[in-house]
Amino acid sequence: MSGRGSGHRTVPHTADLRLEAWAPTREGCLVEAVTALVESVAEPRHSSPASITERTIAASSDDDLLAAVLDEVIFRIDARGQLPVVIDASLVADGVRLRFALHDVDAATLTGPVPKAVALHALRLSEERAGRWSCTAMVDV
């Protein structure tokens, strides 16, 4: 779902990882944030996913939505051994619906440590100006 003007990067930080993402839409920005987090852990091999699933994530604010989405990804990696790659994202009334292709972590090329949690400080998802959303998050590793 990466479109023109979309991107992400990670910045190493003492015992943490800082994610930065940007896109023309809120849901695109969330996709970029998920992609940054997943790429910090592993790179799926070019094979068919083990499964595909949808997950609707609700939150009362944009910052809470970013935290909830990243927490879902961390849970899937850490507890289920799944590497979620977003196929599609769409806004719903109180959040976002994500469609994930789930790859087995064991079948991926590891690129970094498994994240533990999203820090609630320095967490931001906001529209900078019309047509540009950005977000930042600190992730404990």
Side-chain angles (χ1 to χ4, degrees):
M1 167 151 211
S2 185
R4 195 177 90 177
S6 299
H8 60 269
R9 69 180 176 172
T10 56
V11 180
H13 191 269
T14 307
D16 296 320
L17 178 69
R18 179 181 170 92
L19 305 177
E20 299 175 356
W22 56 92
T25 63
R26 179 186 290 121
E27 64 272 25
C29 195
L30 291 167
V31 168
E32 289 294 335
V34 168
T35 302
L37 180 57
V38 169
E39 287 176 355
S40 77
V41 176
E43 182 180 308
R45 295 207 173 96
H46 298 287
S47 60
S48 297
S51 63
I52 294 178
T53 190
E54 278 190 16
R55 177 84 165 100
T56 299
I57 299 173
S60 59
S61 72
D62 288 334
D63 293 350
D64 290 345
L65 183 61
L66 174 60
V69 166
L70 295 177
D71 280 340
E72 174 71 16
V73 172
I74 292 169
F75 169 75
R76 289 194 177 271
I77 293 169
D78 189 40
R80 294 195 173 169
Q82 300 170 327
L83 200 59
V85 177
V86 177
I87 297 172
D88 187 48
S90 57
L91 293 179
V92 295
D94 57 352
V96 66
R97 179 175 296 117
L98 298 170
R99 188 165 186 231
F100 293 114
L102 301 172
H103 296 265
D104 291 329
V105 170
D106 293 339
T109 302
L110 297 180
T111 57
V114 174
K116 302 299 176 209
V118 177
L120 297 180
H121 69 283
L123 183 69
R124 180 188 57 76
L125 171 62
S126 62
E127 187 174 22
E128 292 178 354
R129 61 184 185 272
R132 178 158 167 102
W133 283 78
S134 69
C135 65
T136 59
M138 294 293 283
V139 178
D140 299 329
V141 292

